[in-house]
Amino acid sequence: MKEETQEEMMKLTPEQRNKAMISLLEDMDDSNQKLERKRGELEKAKAELEAFSTGLEEKVKNRTFELSVLYEVSNAISYTLDYQQLLKLIMESLFKIVDYDICASLLFDVCAVNIILKPANAESFKFIEELKKTLIDCTSMLACNNFHSRSVNAFVLPLDSNVKPEEGRCFDQLRSFFNVPFIVNAKVVGMINISSCRENAFSEEKIKLVYAIAAQTANAIERLRSVVDAEKTKMESMVESMAEGIIMIDERGDIVVLNPQARSMLAFEEQAEITTRKLLDKLQIMRQGIDIVERLASLKNHPVVKEISVQQEENRILHCEITSVSKGEKFLGICIYLRDITREKEVEGMKTEFITTVSHELRTPLSITREGISLVQDEIPGRINEKQKEILATAMENIDRLARIINNLLDISKIEAGKAELKRSLNNITSLVKKIVSSFASMAEKRGLELRMSLPEERIDVYADADRIVQVLTNLINNALKFTKEGIIEVSIRKKEKEVECSVADTGIGISKDDIPKVFSKFQQFSRVEGAGEKGTGLGLSIAKGIVEMHQGKIWVESKFGKGSRFFFTLPRETNGEG
Ligand code: ADP
């Protein structure tokens, strides 16, 4: 107590002094209580501060992770040149920061709707169909377009192997979801949907994050589209300026590409509307009453190569190749390639005519020469000695060879010019084969080769030109003998439902894989074996092909180099002359 206060107290009565003391004590108590309260408040504030700082640390950690994922996404987006890859990447990255059960994204173009789905766990698969529909519905509504009528390509990403669903989560239905559109140049080009089986599964922050990613994705889509458009324009101008005609028809029967050359080759008026049916009719590959889509699908595994003639001011002949276009297993449509071969055909015709004329002109002097030598050989003009006989025999052999070559040339030119005629009649192919094979028996024996037949017991009739069929079989057996050093030559016949299949197999030198496609072309000869009989002309097989095809049959070879070959040909089995 201060000295003045003490002095003042001394002046007071004891009663007054007591009161003052009490009031002093009360004041002190008050101050103490205030102090106590302050301390409590301070401690609370300290605890709050501590909690706040821990939360802040957690938040900063989460935010840093989210930012790192965002960075990863934006980095990857800049390098991706494929929409599917882009969306796959985004959905997989989102999965790291947003706890969804299934995520789906949709991008559409003029032809199709492409959906990618990422199930987060095994149970999510049951929502796939529902989500596809929801996403198409929402995008249709937002883009004011009905996407249900477009073809939908859906792709489901595989499950991450290390993901286990949270215990106690009920997967009976999707309880929360949100959609974020992809917007390019103020237009909706797609949508991403994030769904969960939990209620209120997504915080505002997470939704904002998805919006940020969607905006980045839209930018990437825009960039990608401009790259693709530039490429498309480049491709289009290339196709436009090609000398050949190019047409592409998609799997639904829509004409996607038709360059000006194709239009003019097929004699379509410049402004005329070209429908797929008109086009396929012109290409002579459409039959009445057949559905276009069905016809296109039937071309999938059967490419067509044909020549068609188109009536313009003058008749044009087009070489036409139709192939199918697929991506993996999916059939995308057909591509038609057209080349005007009118001039080539003219030159070929002139060449054939030249060969025919020359061969004809050669035949007469040759047969006169042959006749003359034959007379001398028969010693009609006078006797000749052994040496002279030998010389004449060699001359005769070469004259015969020359005659065969001339006959072959005449044959092939007639076949190619479509002037060869068939003298068809009903023939029992089994007895025809027996006769031909027996005529080769002594030649085979001389060469130490076993010549055998595998023929059905029954009679099989073909409506064919017997001489021409003998020509084909003779050529095949001759070749088999020529190219086989040891082993077996087997001639077989198999009766099939609509045709008869003949084959000549040998254990000879075989034909390499590279040479097989050339075997039936003119003047093609491979791996000639020294001393393997007379030198051929390389025309025998092309004549055989021509003859078989004139009979509406097919001819082909299966061969293993060094092991042997089997030549097959078929003839339609017919019992009357109407075929
Ligand atoms: P060639 O008159 O030369 O025999 P072909 O048209 O009959 O003409 O045959 C063409 C070529 O095909 C032959 O030169 C030969 O290289 C090959 N070839 C044909 N048949 C056989 C066979 N049985 N084995 C191996 N090669 C063959």
Side-chain angles (χ1 to χ4, degrees), residues 377-388:
Q377 269 184 326
D378 292 346
E379 299 184 325
I380 292 170
R383 289 189 66 78
I384 50 169
N385 62 28
E386 283 310 306
K387 190 69 201 161
Q388 286 166 328

Side-chain angles (χ1 to χ4, degrees), residues 475 479 482-483 506 511 524-526 536-538 540-541 565 567:
N475 178 263
N479 277 348
K482 213 158 55 172
F483 297 106
D506 64 53
I511 304 164
Q524 294 287 343
Q525 294 178 306
F526 328 98
T537 54
L541 286 176
S565 318
F567 282 82

Side-chain angles (χ1 to χ4, degrees), residues 56 324 385 430 467:
L56 205 64
S324 76
N385 62 28
T430 330
D467 286 346

Side-chain angles (χ1 to χ4, degrees), residues 243-247 261-268 279 282-284 304-312 314-322 336-345:
E244 290 81 10
I246 301 287
I247 303 165
Q261 288 70 17
R263 185 182 269 271
S264 102
M265 279 183 198
L266 293 171
F268 282 114
L279 196 70
K282 274 256 173 150
L283 294 168
Q284 297 154 24
V304 176
V305 179
K306 62 186 314 199
E307 276 173 22
I308 54 171
S309 71
V310 179
Q311 197 61 48
Q312 297 192 11
E314 47 179 320
N315 204 32
R316 318 278 326 154
I317 301 170
L318 304 180
H319 170 85
C320 163
E321 279 179 37
I322 305 172
I336 302 157
Y337 165 87
L338 298 169
R339 194 159 59 86
D340 190 337
I341 51 164
T342 317
R343 185 81 194 111
E344 279 168 46
K345 280 278 161 191

Side-chain angles (χ1 to χ4, degrees), residues 186-214:
K187 277 193 187 138
V188 175
V189 296
M191 180 97 85
I192 187 161
N193 169 292
I194 312 255
S195 298
S196 168
C197 294
R198 290 180 297 128
E199 264 172 41
N200 302 323
F202 310 111
S203 66
E204 208 173 306
E205 268 167 37
K206 300 280 170 179
I207 296 174
K208 271 190 199 154
L209 201 79
V210 178
Y211 265 92
I213 290 182

